[in-house]
Amino acid sequence: MYVGIIRHKVRNFAAWKRVYDGHKARRAAGLGDGWVLRTVDAPNDVLVILEFDDPRRFRKFAASDELRRAMREAGVIGRPSVILCRDPAASATERRARASFLEVEAHPS
């Protein structure tokens, strides 16, 4: 399993999120919705965490004109920083457990 961590600034988070949620090319590239996070002190500073199985598909998507168009439409400011990571030990069960943990941490009661 691979993880892409993308960080960028946007002009308006709500406008960016509408474009992000409707971006079919991301799903077609096998990237899904991932996790969208906003920094506490700068709510237009966005961090996106995406899991995927094929780094070649991720890189092809990241270099696509379609993504550049969507980023312009969404109001991304500047060039995003992208980190690709590999989790060589994580099984599907471990990933689900980690996702459940993150969900609980993101919405403490």
Side-chain angles (χ1 to χ4, degrees):
M1 179 203 48
Y2 296 87
V3 175
I5 303 168
I6 301 97
R7 182 178 182 189
H8 56 267
K9 294 187 187 308
V10 299
R11 286 187 181 84
N12 176 289
F13 179 79
W16 173 87
K17 186 75 163 72
R18 276 192 300 279
V19 174
Y20 180 84
D21 287 344
H23 197 222
K24 295 176 185 170
R26 183 183 69 254
R27 290 185 191 90
L31 300 175
D33 290 329
W35 293 282
V36 172
L37 306 167
R38 301 166 77 183
T39 62
V40 172
D41 295 327
N44 287 328
D45 189 4
V46 179
L47 187 71
V48 179
I49 302 171
L50 300 167
E51 290 183 333
F52 56 95
D53 294 321
D54 186 346
R56 288 172 291 172
R57 282 180 76 188
F58 179 90
R59 286 186 175 110
K60 183 177 178 182
F61 170 74
S64 72
D65 290 337
E66 167 59 29
L67 178 60
R68 280 192 275 285
R69 184 201 57 75
M71 288 173 54
R72 275 194 307 275
E73 179 184 338
V76 172
I77 300 169
R79 188 180 194 110
S81 80
V82 179
I83 301 170
L84 296 182
C85 306
R86 183 164 189 253
D87 188 351
S91 68
T93 302
E94 290 169 325
R95 287 194 310 269
R96 282 191 298 275
R98 188 177 314 138
S100 295
F101 173 76
L102 288 172
E103 183 70 22
V104 169
E105 290 297 304
H107 304 284
S109 30

